[in-house]
Amino acid sequence: MMNTNEVAFLTNLLQTPKQISIIPHRNPDGDALGSSLALYHVLKKLNHTVKVISPNDFPDFIAWLPSANEVEIFERTPLPCETFLKESDVIFTLDFNALHRTGDVMGSFLSTLSNDFVLIDHHQMPDQYAKITVSDTSFGSTCELLYRFLQQLQLDQFIDKDSATCIYTGIVTDSGSFKFLKTTGDTHRVVANLIDLGVDNPYVHSKLFNTNSYNRLQLLGRALQKLKVLPQHQTAYTSLSQRDLYDFNYQKGDTEGIVNYGLSIKGINFAAIFIENRDEGIVKISFRSEGNFDVNEFARTYFNGGGHINAAGGKSFTSLNDTIAYFEKVLNDINKQ
């Protein structure tokens, strides 16, 4: 966490009303948007002028979060967002630790700013762009880390039902509903405090997991039909082409969680999904693992990505078929070592 000087700097900064920007990563998930909105609610109670500025839009399954309708989308209105960012006394970046994670355009703009940045994140190998870096990979979510950050600043007294709901959502989504390895007793103690503050946990789970569209379920069916198992590598993977996405009227968030189905197969400890995106000219990849197989290192080494030990992402600039062929070649090469 923070040292004494960093706590003193932020305590002094936040004592009087300031203009503050909060940024999640591109394609924000429950942890990114949840932590951003939780901090937004707390800072608003301290009479700061605050905006959450997301690089791009977020999926419907987290659009119900308290004050999500107040989030500014950089891609839609870049000039007003740039003006607010330039004039901000401090910029918080949540759930990412490298400015390029906001996208090429926004990342390039942020790199030109001389404002003070505060980084709060739980991913490995943070870049050195922030005045204050709160980075701890032992936490299963940025939301849980944010809760401890607020405690250290003695601001947890300002967490209400809305901010608690946002923090709870990020913990739920990044912990796989409390089943991932980094879910600790402390995680559950934080969650107990959040529920005591009024979080309606059945409602949150329903909004996150029980709002599938018919088309999303059909898309899941297509992905499961294309699932391939490589028992010699204890690996399963699937893919979705641009045609698959068109066939089922793909909406942002529809592929969330599909990669985890591969891990549900007995004897499989590594799963991947390859999703073609012709608009961006890339294949987006998600990796998941169980046990000691480090998908963060795998993604960094072979697929221009990174993340956590058991959950990471990457991308490829070749065709979908060539990407999958390369993936299988890498597995074969690793197996020979």
Side-chain angles (χ1 to χ4, degrees):
M1 295 296 287
M2 294 178 289
N3 62 39
T4 303
N5 290 336
E6 291 170 335
V7 171
F9 171 80
L10 282 176
T11 299
N12 181 64
L13 177 75
L14 299 176
Q15 278 182 345
T16 56
K18 297 293 192 300
Q19 180 164 315
I20 300 173
S21 294
I22 304 171
I23 306 172
H25 58 70
R26 185 175 176 81
N27 299 319
D29 55 11
D31 194 27
L33 191 63
S35 57
S36 297
L37 285 172
L39 182 59
Y40 167 87
H41 285 290
V42 169
L43 294 177
K44 290 284 283 186
K45 283 197 166 187
L46 297 172
N47 297 315
H48 297 293
T49 301
V50 192
K51 282 188 179 180
V52 176
I53 300 176
S54 176
N56 62 344
D57 211 347
F58 42 87
D60 284 344
F61 72 87
I62 51 173
W64 56 272
L65 283 168
S67 296
N69 60 314
E70 300 292 329
V71 175
E72 301 279 347
I73 306 299
F74 187 89
E75 281 189 354
R76 291 185 197 158
T77 56
L79 293 181
C81 288
E82 288 180 357
T83 298
F84 192 88
L85 286 161
K86 285 178 184 176
E87 296 173 354
S88 292
D89 296 291
V90 63
I91 299 172
F92 286 87
T93 63
L94 271 65
D95 201 38
F96 68 96
N97 57 22
L99 295 178
H100 69 81
R101 290 291 315 281
T102 62
D104 292 340
V105 176
M106 188 174 184
S108 296
F109 169 74
L110 292 174
S111 67
T112 68
L113 299 179
S114 58
N115 310 56
D116 288 332
F117 283 82
V118 178
L119 180 161
I120 305 175
D121 180 59
H122 68 136
H123 295 87
Q124 295 176 330
M125 302 173 65
D127 283 356
Q128 303 302 310
Y129 64 84
K131 181 180 182 68
I132 295 177
T133 296
V134 182
S135 175
D136 193 332
T137 60
S138 70
F139 284 84
S141 67
T142 294
C143 274
E144 185 181 350
L145 179 57
L146 175 68
Y147 184 89
R148 298 306 185 190
F149 169 85
L150 294 173
Q151 280 188 321
Q152 194 173 16
L153 291 177
Q154 298 182 6
L155 297 178
D156 53 313
Q157 61 186 301
F158 298 105
I159 298 175
D160 60 11
K161 180 180 178 180
D162 284 345
S163 48
T165 297
C166 295
I167 294 172
Y168 179 83
T169 296
I171 293 175
V172 167
T173 53
D174 254 33
S175 69
S177 296
F178 311 111
K179 69 176 181 286
F180 292 160
L181 187 62
K182 292 182 181 179
T183 303
T184 66
D186 283 339
T187 305
H188 286 288
R189 280 182 277 274
V190 170
V191 165
N193 293 337
L194 298 174
I195 291 174
D196 287 344
L197 287 167
V199 172
D200 186 345
N201 48 314
Y203 173 81
V204 173
H205 285 263
S206 178
K207 297 297 288 185
L208 288 173
F209 306 117
N210 295 336
T211 55
N212 289 315
S213 67
Y214 175 79
N215 278 327
R216 183 188 184 277
L217 292 179
Q218 293 297 300
L219 185 64
L220 169 61
R222 177 67 58 82
L224 293 178
Q225 285 178 333
K226 298 173 74 173
L227 189 65
K228 183 173 181 180
V229 177
L230 306 174
Q232 70 275 29
H233 302 306
Q234 296 179 292
T235 297
Y237 71 84
T238 189
S239 64
L240 290 169
S241 68
Q242 194 72 64
R243 180 73 260 171
D244 294 326
L245 302 181
Y246 286 149
D247 285 348
F248 300 110
N249 191 29
Y250 167 78
Q251 302 295 313
K252 183 180 288 290
D254 280 354
T255 59
E256 187 79 18
I258 292 178
V259 65
N260 296 316
Y261 283 86
L263 283 182
S264 70
I265 301 171
K266 185 177 180 180
I268 297 301
N269 60 25
F270 181 30
I273 185 171
F274 303 88
I275 303 171
E276 186 178 30
N277 187 320
R278 289 182 185 167
D279 289 341
E280 296 184 24
I282 62 173
V283 175
K284 295 183 177 181
I285 314 166
S286 290
F287 300 111
R288 297 292 185 270
S289 69
E290 290 181 345
N292 297 322
F293 186 78
D294 188 343
V295 292
N296 168 60
E297 183 64 27
F298 184 88
R300 286 181 181 274
T301 303
Y302 301 108
F303 288 100
N304 309 288
H308 304 286
I309 291 176
N310 296 122
K315 57 188 175 182
S316 167
F317 300 97
T318 61
S319 71
L320 181 60
N321 288 338
D322 287 348
T323 299
I324 292 171
Y326 174 64
F327 174 72
E328 291 200 10
K329 179 181 182 301
V330 167
L331 292 178
N332 286 326
D333 290 345
I334 292 174
N335 200 40
K336 292 176 184 176
Q337 294 176 3

